[in-house]
Amino acid sequence: AAIEGGRGVTALIGGDAGIGKTRLAAEVAERLRADGIAVAWAACPRDGGAPPFWPWAQLLGRLGRPEALAAPDSTAPDHARFLVVEAVTAALEAVAPVLLVLDDLHWADDASLHLLSALGAHVAAPVLVLGTYRDTEPGGVTSIAADRRLTLSGLSVDELGPAVAELTGEVLASGLLEPLHRRTGGNPYFAAEVVRLLRAEGGLQEGAPRSIGAVPHGVRSVLERRLDRLPDATETVLRAAAALDAGTTDGVDPVLLAAVAGCRPTELEERLA
């Protein structure tokens, strides 16, 4: 609709790690590419050290417009930012219609996010910007005005089965699929990693216990990084809840949880909030 109407659109896809954000963006890119629309893709680097506007430099380079990010050194900072926005806008309008995919925006530098935010008010051509970001990571992505914002959640039990089969080649019986869904919240990445670990340990063989055991290393790394950003008091409550609810995902009595975590029941709600 944006292409037919000759207008720009900014869309953001948020969600947990492995929930399908990049996969959805890739599907959009393939469909538009099949319709003859130019596509440029860039991922924001996880590690620091990249120069400002790095993902935009990648996009503009792939579109043959790398000069758009150059601003006179003698220009005042505010004026320089304005000139960059104007130059990038002109460069993108010249190659429109085009889809720009910015993956992992939660790792983008402030200058790149400012440019993304400013483009929405400047572009007067079918320039489609599609960004993905983890909504569990700190950052300024949530403050960016977008024409459309999607937040992906876990798959249902019925959806998770085909996703796991595609990712791992394993067709799971409902006796294992349902506890897998409860344990992973329907996250296809988490579920696939658990299935790979079960396969390596013989947990998928006939007669093996239908229970979910250890947390795979890749999933553990994601969770530990998230926990490390929380206040110590909140992390204490979550670790107590995980111990009390180990392997069941049935929930924990709040009075018992408060006692184990060493806080008053009224304080428990504050820590979790």
Side-chain angles (χ1 to χ4, degrees):
I3 292 170
E4 292 175 356
R7 58 186 174 86
V9 164
T10 298
L12 298 176
I13 305 171
D16 204 354
I19 205 70
K21 305 179 297 298
T22 301
R23 175 64 181 270
L24 177 56
E27 192 73 21
V28 173
E30 283 303 310
R31 294 192 183 193
L32 289 182
R33 189 181 284 114
D35 290 337
I37 305 302
V39 175
W41 188 296
C44 301
R46 175 179 176 178
D47 299 322
F53 302 115
W54 180 249
W56 289 104
Q58 304 304 298
L59 292 176
L60 292 164
R62 291 176 181 126
L63 294 171
R65 301 278 175 163
E67 74 287 346
L69 283 174
D73 294 335
S74 59
T75 306
D78 288 345
H79 190 209
R81 283 193 293 268
F82 174 81
L83 293 177
V84 167
V85 171
E86 289 292 296
V88 171
T89 298
L92 295 178
E93 289 178 345
V95 298
V98 63
L99 169 68
L100 308 175
V101 180
L102 288 162
D103 205 10
D104 293 330
L105 276 172
H106 49 277
W107 289 323
D109 60 282
D110 291 341
S112 293
L113 292 178
H114 172 79
L115 179 54
L116 172 61
S117 181
L119 281 177
H122 284 72
V123 173
V127 176
L128 317 181
V129 182
L130 180 57
T132 72
Y133 69 100
R134 294 182 189 177
D135 59 358
T136 56
E137 297 278 351
V141 186
T142 55
S143 64
I144 294 176
D147 300 289
R148 188 169 187 187
R149 189 185 294 269
L150 302 176
T151 300
L152 303 186
S153 57
L155 303 176
S156 67
V157 175
D158 293 338
E159 294 166 336
L160 188 62
V164 168
E166 180 181 341
L167 292 169
T168 68
E170 299 288 348
V171 178
L172 304 181
S174 60
L176 184 57
L177 187 58
E178 291 178 0
L180 178 68
H181 182 269
R182 287 197 301 271
R183 186 67 178 273
T184 63
N187 182 306
Y189 167 69
F190 289 178
E193 289 296 293
V194 169
V195 169
R196 292 187 181 103
L197 180 60
L198 285 173
R199 180 168 57 196
E201 296 178 343
L204 299 180
Q205 296 176 2
E206 191 69 29
R210 291 313 191 203
S211 61
I212 308 300
V215 178
H217 176 72
V219 177
R220 182 178 294 276
S221 297
V222 172
L223 299 179
E224 289 287 357
R225 189 167 61 248
R226 191 178 308 166
L227 288 171
D228 286 343
R229 293 196 305 271
L230 295 173
D232 291 342
T234 299
E235 184 173 349
T236 297
V237 170
L238 291 182
R239 291 190 179 278
L244 290 169
D245 194 38
T248 64
T249 322
D250 292 330
V252 178
D253 179 77
V255 176
L256 175 61
L257 177 58
V260 173
C263 65
R264 299 186 306 277
T266 53
E267 186 183 355
L268 181 69
E269 184 176 350
E270 296 175 1
R271 292 189 183 188
L272 291 175

